[in-house]
Amino acid sequence: LCRNDPCSFTWTGEEHIHQDIFECRTCGLVGSLCCCTECAYICHRGHDCSFKRASPNAYCDCWEKCSCQALAQGDEHTRVVLLQRLLAMPFLSTRTNSRGEHLLGMLASLMARQTKEQNQWMGKKSGNSLRSRSSRYDTSFTSDAPVHSFNPPKFAGKALSTVLEDWPSVKSALACDKSEGE
């Protein structure tokens, strides 16, 4: 639910940005081809997929080689409501995930990475607004390119705020951090 944000291609198009990139040997995303973090977690889960590097100049190629499952934007309101319902179940906020991450730490890390990528994309090259940059993409690509005029994902920030408002989740994260430090 929390890692299921859309592929970076949906908001950058073929504009290269600084982002973490992954290669998937299962799908042939090797050499100059790569996938973004969201696609690595969603589309290439269980594949022979690994972190390649933090690239200053990349866009996600997942849609070109695979049946990309991360191209659709989800309904953020529905996702927040679902997260709130799940937080009522103590197992979500008191246990770590398969990577050993607490929900709060995972969301903070996800939010930090997305904020860095989005700020770099939106601000460095020009003073254009997000809307004018997005509309520019609609006419500059080949017809086989997927829709790529979405805004950058914001769910991680909403999820982080929601979890921070849930005292049992915060308390659990602090206890988890304390036990790791001992």
Side-chain angles (χ1 to χ4, degrees), residues 131-170:
R131 175 169 283 147
S132 67
R133 293 179 78 122
S134 296
S135 64
R136 179 182 70 194
Y137 294 133
D138 289 339
T139 59
S140 64
F141 287 90
T142 60
S143 61
D144 61 341
V147 174
H148 48 274
S149 59
F150 296 138
N151 289 326
K154 301 290 183 205
F155 179 74
K158 291 177 183 179
L160 181 59
S161 294
T162 300
V163 174
L164 284 170
E165 292 172 5
D166 182 66
W167 173 242
S169 297
V170 174

Side-chain angles (χ1 to χ4, degrees), residues 9-24:
F9 187 87
T10 64
W11 51 275
T12 66
E14 289 180 335
E15 182 174 332
H16 292 96
I17 65 164
H18 186 280
Q19 64 180 320
D20 289 347
I21 58 172
F22 294 75
E23 67 179 10
C24 179

Side-chain angles (χ1 to χ4, degrees), residues 51 54 58-59 70 76 90 96-97 106 120 142:
F51 178 74
Y59 70 88
E76 287 190 15
T96 58
N97 65 16
M106 186 274 299
Q120 181 269 332
T142 60

